[in-house]
Amino acid sequence: EANFQDENGGTIANRVSLPYSRYDHFAGINFDRWSYKAGKPFNANIVVLDINEKELFGQNVEVSVTREYYETVRRLGTGNYYYYDWNKKKESVQGCQFKYTSSRRTCSVKFEKHGTYRFKVRLANGSAKETEYTTYVYGGDSYYGYRPYNHDRMDIHVSASKAKKGDVIEVLVMSPFKKAEGFITLERDGILKKEKITLDGNTYLHKIKIDKDWMVPGFYVSAVIFRGRTKEKIDGNVDLGKPAFKIGYAKVEVEHSLKALDIKVKTSREEYRPGEELEAEIEVRDHTEAGRKSELAIAVVDEALLQLSTMARKNYDVLDSFYKLGGLRVKNYETLVQLIGKRTYGKKGGTPGGGG
């Protein structure tokens, strides 16, 4: 760590850190995708490295897999209110053991049930830190127990929170309803795009192509689903089967490199002292290498100060200032929250009972 005082009396400091690990081996795991279709085989890609990031062959690798799901019931609470009571369950499923070689770097699996699967890879001799990775397996019209909430929100996940133009983002909708209809919308200062969806099961995978200029610098993915009336009974004047809805949000930032200008500056010398004059040739091109007519702003800063202050260069990056994803600035309103449920009434003039 070093610090010094500038000409204005302010203190500028910086520090450098070095990595340290008590392990000399590392086992890693990743997948070609982040979600898979139930009933179809796929591979978990394994890598074993030493501390210098070189592959270590001949290691015995163990891959264990756990399926996670929730068992849920509705219970009557105080105030004649029904709430969800859930219990998280885990079950060990198919894994694999093999010797890591140049010809064997994968663990092949296939799951018939959809849900959340947590992979854990470790070396048999325990000389490396365990690595975990979670992936999702979605199915058709079957029902999977996601964690329920006692409000109108639900979980949705995106395959990547950062993307660039040309990418395809996958949105996984985790519905608490067995069947539902709804909308997926892209929002930022309003509704940018909307699509109607139908859920035959309670898991739905939606794809979004990042191919429009208006998607920069990003957007918020919203999923709103609706369930019609069900056959659940009216219990204690609580209408358990009345229509309901759920809503979920996820944030996606889109890279703005296509908006960046490439600036090249050519001078007669590489170094100038304070008070000296210089002439420079400045060339500005866009991402297609085409020249662009531009307005320039020049700031002259001592290179020594930039070397000690890592954030100083960031302050002159106007691209991030112009293309930064702000808040959502969209409000949602749904009339179903005001829906009064059905009631059951006794016979007119019936004896209410009680009184000892």
Side-chain angles (χ1 to χ4, degrees), residues 108-122:
S108 298
V109 293
K110 183 176 75 171
F111 303 126
E112 299 297 336
K113 298 179 180 179
H114 70 290
T116 303
Y117 288 84
R118 189 177 301 275
F119 286 72
K120 182 182 293 186
V121 57
R122 62 183 296 271

